[in-house]
Amino acid sequence: MEEGISKGGAKRKFGHDGRPVEFTLNYKDAGVDIDAADELIDAIRPAAEATGRPGAMSGLGGFGALFDLKAAGYRDPILVSGTDGVGTKLKVAAAMGRHDTIGIDLVAMCVNDLVVQGAEPLFFLDYFGTGRLEPAVAAAVINGIADGCRQAGCALIGGETAELPSMYADGDYDLAGFAVGAVERDALLTGDAVREGDVVLGFASAGLHSNGFSLARRVAENADLTFDDPAPFAPGQSIGEAYLTPTRIYVRAALAGIGAGGVHAIAHITGGGLLDNIPRVLPEGLGADLYARAWDLPPVFAWLAEAGGVAPREMARTFNCGIGMVALCPADRAAEIKSALEAAGETISAIGEVVRRDGDADRVRIHGLGDVFGG
C-alpha cells in the first residue's frame, strides 16, 4: 500500500492495484471507545488523588505506579500482597443499578486479607472489565474503590479499564483488586504464637459482606422475591439494598488492636466462614470452640436459613454469620485488646477460646449453632 496526496492536500492510501482505499472502519465501530476511557480517567482522577499517602509517588496515567517504602517509614519491611474480587454480588449491583458501594467491597476483600498478617495496606490497583464502557457506571465503581482506599489508609495508585465487547454482554462488568502492604519483619503475624487458652474475639460484620451470594440470590429467587421487594429481615430496605451493604473494612481497628500488644493471630472470615478460616491461623494440634449465643446474629442470616432451608453447618461454611474477623489473644490481654478494637469503632464480642484438638476432629466447633438457626 502506497501513500499519496489528493488535490486538497489530504493524505490518501492507495492499494497495490493503484486504486484508492476507503477508510470505513474504526476502533469505536468494533466496540471500543477510547474517548470514553479518556473521559473516565478525567472523572476519577480527583478521587484517586484524594487517597494519597506517604510513599505514593505517582498519579494516574503512567505505565507503572511507584511507591517509596522508605518514605512510608519502614526500616525492615516484609511486603504482603493479595488479590480478590467480589463474586456474584456484582449481579445484585447490576440488577439494582447501584454501583457506588461495590468498590468498597473490592477494597475490603483485599486489605482485610493483608491486615490479618499485621500488614498496613500501602497501595491498591484495580481491574475493571466490561463489554461496553459506560463512564458514569465505571466512575461510580471507581469512586467507591477510592472511598474504600481512604477507609483503609492506602493509596489508589493505578488500575486497568478494559472494554471487551466480545467477552462481556452490555451492562455486565467484572472487578478484581490488587493490594500491597508492609509489616516490619519482627511484627509479622503468622499464627505460630497461638496457644491453648487464647480468647477468640469476634468483630461484628455488616451483613453478608461479599461471600455466599450465589446462595443468597438463590434463596430470594426460590422465595419468589425480587431485589426490589421489601426485605423481610431489614425494615425500610429492599432485598437488593440490604444485600448491597458494603463489607466492613477492619484495617484501622485491627492495627489498633495489634498496637495494644498481645494479639497472636487474626483471621478474615470470608468464603468458608468461621469453620474454614479460623483453622488457617491455628498451629497443628489446636482448635477453637465458639459459642453461637455469644454474639448477635444479624437478621439476614436467620432469614436465609429459614427461607432457604439451609442447614446450620452449611450456613457456617458459606456465610460469616455475623463475624467478619476474629483476633486470637491471651486471656490476660483480651480485655485491653477488646477495648482498643472498640475504641477504633468496632463491635467486639468474646466468642470462644482456643482448645487442644488432635486427630481428624473438626478444628472449629460452634456450640449452640443449631439453636441459633432453629435447626
Side-chain angles (χ1 to χ4, degrees), residues 63-77:
F63 287 100
L66 309 177
F67 193 92
D68 185 348
L69 279 173
K70 185 177 290 186
Y74 286 88
R75 52 177 176 77
D76 186 21

Side-chain angles (χ1 to χ4, degrees), residues 6-352:
S6 68
K7 290 183 178 179
K11 291 185 177 180
R12 301 180 67 187
K13 294 287 184 179
F14 292 89
H16 294 297
D17 59 2
R19 296 181 180 179
V21 176
E22 297 295 330
F23 297 111
T24 60
L25 189 63
N26 58 37
Y27 210 6
K28 187 173 182 178
D29 294 330
V32 180
D33 190 342
I34 296 175
D35 292 332
D38 291 340
E39 178 186 336
L40 173 61
I41 292 173
D42 290 339
I44 65 175
R45 191 181 303 276
E49 291 175 349
T51 68
R53 53 150 297 149
M57 294 177 60
S58 58
L60 301 181
F63 287 100
L66 309 177
F67 193 92
D68 185 348
L69 279 173
K70 185 177 290 186
Y74 286 88
R75 52 177 176 77
D76 186 21
I78 298 292
L79 290 179
V80 183
S81 61
T83 182
D84 211 334
V86 295
T88 60
K89 191 171 186 176
L90 291 172
K91 288 285 191 180
V92 184
M96 294 295 293
R98 284 278 308 275
H99 309 282
D100 55 332
T101 61
I102 203 76
I104 298 174
D105 290 294
L106 183 68
V107 175
M109 295 303 290
C110 296
V111 298
N112 284 344
D113 277 355
L114 302 187
V115 77
V116 299
Q117 294 175 89
E120 173 196 18
L122 299 176
F123 58 87
F124 190 88
L125 300 98
D126 69 273
Y127 169 85
F128 179 96
T130 187
R132 179 173 59 84
L133 184 61
E134 299 180 48
V137 171
V141 172
I142 298 171
N143 281 329
I145 292 171
D147 187 0
C149 286
R150 287 191 293 270
Q151 292 183 41
C154 63
L156 175 58
I157 61 174
E160 168 70 5
T161 300
E163 191 171 24
L164 307 171
S166 59
M167 293 290 290
Y168 302 96
D170 279 0
D172 285 345
Y173 62 86
D174 198 11
L175 290 176
F178 311 88
V180 175
V183 57
E184 297 291 2
R185 188 180 302 271
D186 57 7
L188 185 66
L189 290 181
T190 63
D192 291 342
V194 175
R195 297 290 181 266
E196 182 180 3
D198 279 358
V199 172
V200 181
L201 298 177
F203 298 52
S205 72
L208 293 174
H209 285 184
S210 298
N211 297 106
F213 271 85
S214 293
L215 180 54
R217 290 167 45 239
R218 178 65 62 85
V219 170
E221 179 184 313
N222 288 353
D224 292 324
L225 295 170
T226 71
F227 294 135
D228 291 322
D229 286 326
F233 51 86
Q237 288 188 302
S238 68
I239 290 176
E241 288 169 337
Y243 274 15
L244 286 176
T245 301
T247 308
R248 284 197 68 77
I249 293 176
Y250 295 112
V251 169
R252 296 186 190 277
L255 291 175
I258 293 168
V263 172
H264 285 165
I266 305 178
H268 183 199
I269 309 305
T270 57
L274 291 160
L275 298 180
D276 288 354
N277 284 290
I278 294 177
R280 297 168 70 179
V281 299
L282 293 174
E284 286 296 321
L286 294 180
D289 279 349
L290 309 182
Y291 303 93
R293 293 193 180 279
W295 72 91
D296 292 331
L297 182 76
V300 62
F301 298 109
W303 178 79
L304 286 167
E306 180 179 359
V310 184
R313 181 174 174 81
E314 186 68 13
M315 290 293 300
R317 288 197 69 199
T318 304
F319 302 109
N320 65 64
C321 293
I323 299 295
M325 186 170 279
V326 299
L328 283 58
C329 59
D332 62 357
R333 298 288 302 148
E336 185 174 346
I337 293 169
K338 180 174 183 289
S339 294
L341 295 171
E342 290 172 338
E346 297 304 327
T347 299
I348 306 296
S349 303
I351 64 171

